[in-house]
Amino acid sequence: MNTVRIGVMGCADIALRRMLPAFAASPHTEVTAIASRGADKARAAAEAYGCAAVEGYEALLERPDVDAVYVPLPAALHARWTERALRAGKHVLAEKPLTTRAADTARLLGLARELGLALAENHLFVHHHTYATVKDLVTSGVIGEVRSLYASFTIPPRPASDIRYRADLGGGALLDIGVYPIRLASLLLGPELKVRGAVLRHDSARGVDLGGSAHLDAPSTGAGAHLVFGMEHHYTAGWRLLGSEGSLALDRAYSPAAGHRPVLRIEHADGAEDRVLPAHDQAAARVAAFARAVRGGEGDEAPVLRQAELVDAVHRAAHVTTV
Ligand SMILES: NC(=O)c1ccc[n+]([C@@H]2O[C@H](COP(=O)([O-])OP(=O)(O)OC[C@H]3O[C@@H](n4cnc5c(N)ncnc54)[C@H](OP(=O)(O)O)[C@@H]3O)[C@@H](O)[C@H]2O)c1
């Protein structure tokens, strides 16, 4: 089967740093064009990949040599440009969050289905082999019955001009950072999770939330999740899954480098073990999964919609403290 020809919409940091190298290295994809609002920016990025430089996003969608578009724009622009790309007949891999509202996510997933196009949200960590190992361990009963998950993703402040501080661009810690532990909770505790409470620290000057926490639980088992996120913190990216007879814990859970060997802490009645797991390139795995979806293979619609509904539910449930 031919490789999927990728057009990149915007010279975002995540595109230059992580996804362009992954698309270029993959046997399943090739980068044919990179677009930017600025011609010089597009040219500089395209030179490095020997592909076409395109000024403006609309022009990218008109290209016949682009099968699929990667959308790493600020969150509030994802829905608009994803819809335009789908209507131009392109498959889409959009950065997380796919949109800023569950209703938009549902509408776009429906549109993609109607048009027979792949639409995926770019959560990388769910493609890391570590999570298959974690699920196997849980299923094998190593920690007994799952009782609760504690997960945090917190980062230090960003430069003042960062898109995460721009309310009009869909900024804020919940949409940018909180979405990771929320996605993790669904992965580890299942799709039936309900949001039972939340807190957001709201920056009144910039109009965005800087951090917060959320409590969720799975009604059928009562297993709960306490999730913490923020962008005015010390860096943390870890979780601990507590069971009736033991626990599992992982650090550097969301963005491990391709060569990083995750260390999974396993504690149970007989003792503790730090199990060093194989390295895995989650961006390469993500790209391969997207290429399969483009070729008519598996999609991942249900978790994408559930994720958007949970993020909406956190917003609705949140007690907002203004700072
Ligand atoms: N999956 C992951 O691991 C991961 C990691 C980090 C970020 N992300 C997500 O990726 C997206 C981009 O994040 P980032 O940190 O890479 O952002 P960024 O460096 O600020 O890039 C955003 C890009 O969007 C384009 N853009 C279009 N309109 C814009 C506007 N009005 N203001 C600013 N930029 C505009 C710009 O490209 P041009 O100027 O070239 O047109 C800019 O380079 C976000 O949704 C974020 O949550 C995902």
Side-chain angles (χ1 to χ4, degrees):
M1 180 86 190
N2 294 338
T3 53
V4 178
R5 298 170 302 173
I6 304 286
V8 175
M9 187 177 272
C11 298
D13 175 64
I14 185 65
L16 300 177
R17 194 166 45 81
R18 201 87 202 253
M19 294 311 294
L20 269 164
F23 288 128
S26 174
H28 308 290
T29 53
E30 63 179 303
V31 181
T32 48
I34 301 177
S36 173
R37 294 169 300 170
D40 290 348
K41 226 170 154 186
R43 210 171 299 120
E47 246 171 44
Y49 289 92
C51 67
V54 179
E55 184 176 1
Y57 305 151
E58 210 63 75
L60 182 74
L61 301 181
E62 287 163 9
R63 292 185 71 95
D65 62 355
V66 169
D67 303 315
V69 175
Y70 168 55
V71 179
L73 302 175
L77 306 184
H78 292 177
R80 184 193 318 159
W81 285 103
T82 294
E83 176 161 1
R84 287 203 199 173
L86 290 171
R87 293 200 185 279
K90 313 297 186 190
H91 305 276
V92 177
L93 175 62
E95 266 309 334
K96 37 60 58 175
L98 174 55
T99 77
T100 56
R101 293 178 335 131
D104 288 334
T105 295
R107 183 173 55 77
L108 292 177
L109 289 170
L111 180 64
R113 201 180 320 121
E114 201 180 292
L115 296 172
L117 295 165
L119 172 58
E121 180 178 52
N122 201 34
H123 273 293
L124 297 179
F125 76 92
V126 297
H127 296 276
H128 201 290
H129 282 161
T130 291
Y131 289 94
T133 303
V134 167
K135 280 188 174 174
D136 286 348
L137 285 167
V138 171
T139 306
S140 72
V142 166
I143 64 167
E145 287 179 21
V146 172
R147 296 281 187 247
S148 58
L149 171 70
Y150 171 80
S152 73
F153 192 13
T154 58
I155 64 170
R158 308 276 301 181
S161 60
D162 195 279
I163 57 170
R164 289 156 187 79
Y165 298 121
R166 292 272 305 272
D168 59 329
L169 296 179
L174 172 59
L175 285 176
D176 194 76
I177 303 157
V179 293
Y180 289 84
I182 292 172
R183 185 71 187 83
L184 175 81
S186 291
L187 192 66
L188 297 183
L189 301 183
E192 59 158 339
L193 282 177
K194 296 259 182 284
V195 175
R196 302 301 187 189
V199 175
L200 289 174
R201 251 172 72 84
H202 185 79
D203 178 339
S204 55
R206 290 179 283 201
V208 297
D209 62 284
L210 298 173
S213 61
H215 286 275
L216 299 85
D217 80 347
S220 68
T221 61
H226 179 55
L227 313 178
V228 174
F229 49 89
M231 52 184 185
E232 49 178 358
H233 296 66
H234 165 69
Y235 183 85
T236 64
W239 55 258
R240 187 160 189 221
L241 188 66
L242 306 180
S244 55
E245 291 164 38
S247 67
L248 301 175
L250 185 73
D251 274 330
R252 296 168 73 177
Y254 304 113
S255 318
H260 173 68
R261 300 196 63 188
V263 180
L264 186 66
R265 175 97 179 150
I266 306 170
E267 292 182 2
H268 45 75
D270 299 332
E273 175 196 351
D274 284 327
R275 190 174 297 180
V276 183
L277 301 177
H280 186 216
D281 185 341
Q282 61 185 24
R286 191 330 135 225
V287 168
F290 179 61
R292 284 196 298 278
V294 167
R295 291 168 183 154
E298 84 273 24
D300 54 3
E301 276 189 28
V304 174
L305 182 55
R306 190 68 202 119
Q307 166 77 3
E309 289 168 347
L310 287 175
V311 175
D312 265 18
V314 171
H315 261 137
R316 277 197 307 273
H319 170 82
V320 177
T321 300
T322 300
V323 292

